[in-house]
Amino acid sequence: MGRRAGRTGRAGRTGRGRMTPGQPATPPAPAPASERGHGHHRATPWPEARALAARAGAGAAADRPPVRVPLGQALGRPLAEPLRALTDLPSFDSSAMDGWAVAGPGPWTVREESVLAGHSGAAALASGEAVRIATGARVPAGATAVVRTEHSRTGPVAGPVLLHPLREVVPGQDIRPRGQECRTGEELLPAGSLVGPAVLGLAAAAGYDEIAVPARPRVEVLVLGDELLTAGLPHEGLIRDALGPMLGPWLTALGAEVLATRRIGDDAEALYEAVTTSAAELVVTTGGTAAGPVDHVHRVLDKAGATLLVDGVKVRPGHPMLLARLDAGRHLVGLPGNPLAAVSGLLTLAAPLLAALTTRPSAPTPPGGTAPPSAPTPPAETAPPSAPTAPGEPLAAPLRDGVQGHPHDTRLVPVVHRDGLVVPLHYNGPAMLRGIAAADAMAVVPPGGAEPGRRVELLALPWPTEPQAATATPVSPPAPAQGACFT
């Protein structure tokens, strides 16, 4: 389903530093094996790696101007600037009900005309006059109230028609005064607010045809490996590429504009060319981050003059992941080649970087969302399952079953919601996707593991999930055999 496991078993080199920028005609020669120690003792702790990725994205976001898009294209994106009213709401005094616009005390003489929504207003009312009016119509000048149809009667049959109230009429009743909701220039929503359907409606009502949102980060995916097939069944040592079909839609769900998914193979020269000429703000590679004979990512980054920000993370699966700054405003996330390890890399490095690039809000996140990477795990044992305990804190829930931990590293484990708890799933090895395909979230298990009942942080998956729903994927027993697989 992904790159062979031997290519993701080591964390790669660390501390490479900034190299002299250059664009040589040929890629760098492989470094001697003695220079490529695994360097796991230098790997970045998982929370720190997430925070570094978020800071890298925030730094790049400062120089990205927002774009104005039609309302229909803004759904699900954050506001790049405050939403201010372009007009008073309502923009004129209007009727809140079907009935009669009246002037002064009753009874009133009824004029033979009607005032309808969307039509020019009626002539001004003199005291003692009434005119039929529809909901939303402009209230005529001189009107002091609107009397609902069901709260009035008319008569007599002959002579001038008079309108009689059936209950007390209070001045201003059932009139929506101009500016009742807001005045021109008033801030309706702050920058960073997520645009949902109601926000679209509010923006339209306030006079907007377009609104400003952060530009979608441009991302290119480079799939490495000569052993990958794009069609058919695995055979003769070849395996299907699982990451190519998965990463583009996943990155799109994280708010990116995916320019292309390109298959490079194990060609260092082609990889160097692709990395140094990409128009993307974020390049995502798969595999090649360890120290094998065809793991070219480190050497290509060295020659390209990149700066390694994260070179290995203390997390399982996926510890050989990396983050590099290519140049001003451009980064590369190197994912391990094993599929679930690659998912771990997406959640650890790509997701917080993209979130910062798109300036997504740090307000409490609904179920199915993820909180800022640097937020602490909620300590409160009494908080509702999967709910933040305070603004800015991540989602968390208690475990139904214990999870075996790595002695030193964080573990990310697919889980499902069950009766207010989260249950670890089987098939959570680094090369497996069966567990994550059925999961509601990824649980963050601290070094040493977590016992039943312990609240753990949850990383959301960027697609709709159904908490409490049954799943065909077996859930783990208290001590799953897969728990010992930490690659």
Side-chain angles (χ1 to χ4, degrees):
M1 296 178 69
R3 307 299 303 276
R4 50 187 174 271
R7 304 176 79 166
T8 59
R10 308 179 75 186
R13 294 175 293 174
T14 60
R16 302 298 302 174
R18 177 77 180 175
M19 306 299 290
T20 302
Q23 300 290 330
T26 58
S34 61
E35 297 183 13
R36 299 197 304 272
H38 63 78
H40 182 257
H41 63 288
R42 298 181 183 177
T44 305
W46 182 81
E48 182 181 340
R50 298 249 304 161
L52 284 168
R55 287 199 292 271
D63 298 324
R64 303 177 76 244
V67 295
R68 305 196 73 85
V69 299
L71 296 183
Q73 297 179 20
L75 184 65
R77 301 169 75 172
L79 294 174
E81 56 191 35
L83 188 73
R84 300 186 184 278
L86 302 180
T87 182
D88 294 347
L89 285 182
S91 56
F92 50 82
D93 292 348
S94 61
S95 176
M97 293 288 172
D98 293 332
W100 304 88
V102 300
W108 304 273
T109 301
V110 176
R111 293 193 339 203
E112 293 183 359
E113 59 183 299
S114 296
V115 186
L116 302 178
H119 292 259
S120 58
L125 292 177
S127 182
E129 288 187 324
V131 64
R132 185 174 289 279
I133 193 168
T135 301
R138 182 191 292 268
V139 173
T144 56
V146 169
V147 179
R148 302 183 189 187
T149 300
E150 62 269 26
H151 297 165
S152 63
R153 65 177 179 85
T154 56
V157 176
V161 178
L162 296 178
L163 177 72
H164 299 271
L166 298 180
R167 59 181 61 184
E168 180 184 5
V169 176
V170 178
Q173 73 177 32
D174 287 331
I175 293 177
R176 296 173 179 149
R178 176 173 180 163
Q180 181 185 47
E181 185 171 3
C182 65
R183 289 292 184 180
T184 302
E186 185 176 342
E187 182 176 312
L188 305 176
L189 291 170
S193 299
L194 203 62
V195 177
V199 174
L200 295 177
L202 176 62
Y208 286 88
D209 300 317
E210 299 177 328
I211 53 179
V213 297
R216 293 190 185 278
R218 300 184 307 278
V219 178
E220 186 169 23
V221 179
L222 306 179
V223 179
L224 313 183
D226 289 342
E227 74 275 24
L228 302 179
L229 296 169
T230 59
L233 294 174
H235 63 276
E236 298 176 354
L238 302 178
I239 58 175
R240 281 296 297 269
D241 169 27
L243 297 181
M246 179 178 72
L247 292 181
W250 198 311
L251 290 162
T252 298
L254 291 174
E257 176 190 354
V258 179
L259 303 180
T261 297
R262 299 168 56 189
R263 289 169 173 81
I264 303 297
D266 287 324
D267 187 328
E269 182 176 357
L271 176 60
Y272 178 80
E273 177 71 14
V275 168
T276 56
T277 62
S278 175
E281 297 164 89
L282 174 62
V283 177
V284 176
T285 62
T286 69
T289 57
V294 290
D295 289 336
H296 302 303
V297 173
H298 282 93
R299 294 188 288 272
V300 165
L301 290 175
D302 286 347
K303 195 64 177 181
T307 301
L308 280 170
L309 306 177
V310 175
D311 192 8
V313 177
K314 293 182 179 179
V315 65
R316 304 300 176 111
H319 65 279
M321 67 183 74
L322 62 82
L323 170 64
R325 183 170 59 246
L326 298 174
D327 49 47
R330 297 180 63 241
H331 293 84
L332 180 143
V333 168
L335 303 178
N338 276 322
L340 190 59
V343 169
S344 176
L346 274 180
L347 295 173
T348 300
L349 299 177
L353 188 147
L354 289 171
L357 275 176
T358 54
T359 60
R360 291 184 178 178
S362 58
T365 311
T370 185
S374 58
T377 300
E381 297 297 329
T382 58
S386 303
T389 59
E393 290 186 343
L395 300 177
L399 287 165
R400 192 194 73 178
D401 307 325
V403 179
Q404 181 179 353
H406 186 275
H408 310 292
D409 295 351
T410 300
R411 281 192 70 197
L412 302 183
V413 178
V415 294
V416 291
H417 295 276
R418 292 286 175 82
D419 301 323
L421 306 172
V422 288
V423 185
L425 292 170
H426 277 311
Y427 310 111
N428 54 33
M432 300 178 179
L433 288 176
R434 186 172 172 182
I436 189 68
D440 295 325
M442 288 280 270
V444 180
V445 178
E451 66 279 3
R454 176 165 179 173
R455 292 182 67 83
V456 292
E457 180 182 348
L458 300 179
L459 300 179
L461 307 177
W463 53 78
T465 59
E466 297 184 27
Q468 310 298 333
T471 174
T473 299
V475 298
S476 297
Q482 291 87 349
C485 186
F486 297 125
T487 303

